[in-house]
Amino acid sequence: MARTTASGSAVEERLEPLPGAEAAAQHIVDGCLRDGPVGSVGLEIEAHCFDVADPLRRPDWDELTEAIAGIPPLPGGSPVTIEPGGAVELSGPPFPDPGAAIAAMASDRAVLRAAFAQAGFGLVSLGADPLRPQARVNPGPRYGAMEQFFRASGTADAGAAMMTSTASVQVNLEAGPRAGWADRVRLAHALGPTMVAIAANSPALGREFTGWQSTRQLIWSQLDSARCGPILGADGDDPASDWARYALRAPVMLAHTPTPMAVTEWVPFADWADGRVLLGDRKPTVTDLEYHLTTLFPPVRPRGFLEVRYLDSVPDAVWPAVVFTLATLLDDAAAADIAAEATESVATAWDRAAQVGLKDRRLHAAAVRCVQAAAERAPAALEESMTVLTRSVEQGRSPADDFADRAEKYGIANAVTQLAQG
C-alpha cells in the first residue's frame, strides 16, 4: 500500500487494491473504536410517513421530496432523509450530553411534524408499519441492489420488510477510554434484550398482529446472522478484533462498478481481499472495505463510536426517557454497574425479549432496575417522560401494548390514522 505524502496521495492509497485480508483486518481494528471520554450523544430517529386522508396509500418519492424541500434548516441541526419505504429519518449531530441531544432532536421533530402536517402527512413512531404492504419508494441504486442481494440469498421477504416497513431509534455513544472498551461493548450488548423489551413497539405487520411485541426485531432475526447478528466473540475481550473477524467473514452485499452491483453469490470479504474471488474483475480497495462495513447491521456497530441499533421507534411521550436510560446505563459508571448485574441473566435473550417483552419475569425485573437507576439520575427536563416510562415498565407494559389496545378498540387502520393526526 502506498505511503501518504503531503501532496495528498492518501486518496490514491484508498483506491489501491488491499494487499489481503490481514491488511483489511488491521484497517478495521485501527479505526473502529476511538479512544476518549464518554458523554457525547448523537440520535437518529425514524418515523413512518402516512397520508392522513388515505393511510393505506404510501406517499411516493416526489411527494416526500417536495415536503422536505420546503423545510428550512432545523434548529437542532438534523438533516432529513428518506428511507427506502418512505420512512423519514432525522440524524442529529453529536451533543455533549444526552439532555442536550434529546432537546435538539425534540425541537427538530416538532418542526418536521408541522411541515409534514401542512402537506397532509402524519409521522407515526412504530417499530414496524402495521398497515401497508412492503414497497420501496426511494429510487436509490443502493436499495435496488440490496433487493437483488436479499432475493439471491433467500431472504427476499425479510429484506424487503427490513428496508421498507421498519423504523428505529438509534443512539450513538462514544467508544470511551481504550482500557474500558471490552466492558463497554459487552454491556452495550448485554443491555440489548432488556432495552428491546422496554422499547418494543411493533406488534403488527401487514394488517395482522404477529404475536411478537417487537416484530421489527423478528424481521432482523430472519436475515443472515453473519450480517445482522451480534459481533462479540466467545469472551468479548477484544471487540475491535471481534468486529474485524465479523466483517471479513460477512458476505459482500454490494460492489461498486461504479454503481452498486448486488453480489449474488456468498463471497466473504476475506475471499475478495485475498484474491480468491474477484468482484468487478478486481480486488477491493480501502474504499470498498469501508463501504462493506456500511452494509453490516449488527445490533451494536463500531464506527469509531458505538451505534446502538436495537430500539424500535417509540412515541414522543417516551423516546426521550428511553434514550436517556440507555445513555445513562452505559455512560454513568455507577448506573453501568447496576445494569451489568441486572441484565446478566437475560444478556442473550434477544428472541424472548422481542416476542414477549416485559411479560417475561426476568426481563421485567431487569427492566425495572435499569429504568429506576436512570430515573434517579434524570434532569428535571426529562421528569415527565421518565415518569411515563417508569410507570409503564413497572406495570410490565411496553409501547406495543398501548398500540395493541388502541388497534383492538378502533381497528389497525383507524389506530394508525389517529396517530398520524397526532
Side-chain angles (χ1 to χ4, degrees):
M1 189 175 293
R3 292 180 176 274
T4 303
T5 68
S7 63
S9 61
V11 174
E12 297 176 8
E13 179 179 309
R14 294 175 60 82
L15 298 178
E16 289 185 1
L18 286 161
E22 185 176 347
Q26 191 60 54
H27 181 83
I28 295 170
V29 168
D30 289 345
C32 70
L33 295 171
R34 185 169 53 241
D35 187 17
V38 301
S40 295
V41 177
L43 301 177
E44 300 177 33
I45 299 186
E46 299 167 339
H48 302 284
C49 180
F50 285 90
D51 182 339
V52 174
D54 182 5
L56 288 170
R57 187 184 76 86
R58 193 180 290 267
D60 64 30
W61 177 251
D62 290 340
E63 292 174 295
L64 292 169
T65 54
E66 182 179 354
I68 290 172
I71 300 174
L74 296 177
S78 300
V80 186
T81 55
I82 302 171
E83 293 298 293
V88 182
E89 179 178 36
L90 292 175
S91 302
F95 285 86
D97 59 73
I102 290 166
M105 179 58 69
S107 65
D108 287 354
R109 282 171 61 87
V111 173
L112 182 71
R113 188 181 297 278
F116 269 62
Q118 288 185 340
F121 300 143
L123 299 177
V124 176
S125 296
L126 287 164
D129 184 337
L131 193 57
R132 300 171 297 192
Q134 302 156 10
R136 180 167 64 92
V137 300
N138 188 322
R142 170 182 167 105
Y143 301 127
M146 287 176 69
E147 288 178 336
Q148 295 177 40
F149 173 88
F150 288 129
R151 284 196 296 268
S153 65
T155 57
D157 288 344
M162 178 273 285
M163 288 199 299
T164 69
S165 297
T166 64
S168 69
V169 172
Q170 181 174 301
V171 183
N172 301 325
L173 302 171
E174 298 292 356
R178 182 183 299 271
W181 284 351
D183 288 341
R184 185 165 175 77
V185 176
R186 272 196 296 261
L187 180 57
H189 284 80
L191 276 168
T194 299
M195 293 302 304
V196 165
I198 289 170
N201 191 33
S202 45
L205 184 72
R207 306 185 76 174
E208 294 183 356
F209 288 102
T210 63
W212 290 65
Q213 292 285 83
S214 177
T215 302
R216 174 182 172 274
Q217 193 69 23
L218 170 64
I219 291 167
W220 280 102
S221 74
Q222 293 170 338
L223 298 170
D224 65 88
S225 60
R227 165 165 271 102
C228 301
I231 68 172
L232 292 185
D235 54 26
D237 286 341
D238 186 356
S241 294
D242 286 343
W243 176 229
R245 281 190 294 270
Y246 181 105
L248 293 180
R249 291 172 181 170
V252 181
M253 173 183 274
L254 309 175
H256 282 271
T257 60
T259 57
M261 173 193 75
V263 179
T264 56
E265 301 295 329
W266 187 278
V267 180
F269 192 91
D271 287 0
W272 189 19
D274 282 335
R276 287 187 287 273
V277 178
L278 298 181
L279 300 176
D281 296 322
R282 61 180 179 81
K283 290 182 65 177
T285 66
V286 168
T287 298
D288 291 314
L289 172 60
E290 293 182 350
Y291 189 78
H292 171 65
L293 297 179
T294 73
T295 69
L296 307 180
F297 310 111
V300 180
R301 183 165 66 176
R303 296 190 62 188
F305 53 93
L306 297 179
E307 285 184 348
V308 182
R309 305 169 50 85
Y310 44 61
L311 301 173
D312 280 8
S313 185
V314 291
D316 285 345
V318 294
W319 74 255
V322 170
V323 166
F324 183 82
T325 296
L326 179 60
T328 299
L329 296 176
L330 282 164
D331 285 357
D332 181 284
D337 288 342
I338 293 170
E341 181 183 352
T343 60
E344 185 176 6
S345 68
V346 291
T348 59
W350 294 93
D351 287 347
R352 182 71 174 164
Q355 185 169 20
V356 304
L358 297 176
K359 295 176 179 64
D360 179 274
R361 175 180 55 82
R362 295 185 304 161
L363 284 162
H364 181 238
V368 169
R369 288 193 64 193
C370 287
V371 170
Q372 287 177 345
E376 292 169 359
R377 295 160 171 80
L382 293 177
E383 181 178 356
E384 182 177 354
S385 185
M386 286 301 313
T387 298
V388 172
L389 181 65
T390 301
R391 182 173 60 246
S392 295
V393 169
E394 289 175 348
Q395 294 173 348
R397 292 177 61 86
S398 70
D401 295 302
D402 296 333
F403 178 77
D405 287 350
R406 183 189 293 264
E408 287 170 0
K409 183 175 182 179
Y410 299 105
I412 291 177
N414 286 334
V416 169
T417 299
Q418 291 170 10
L419 296 176
Q421 291 172 335

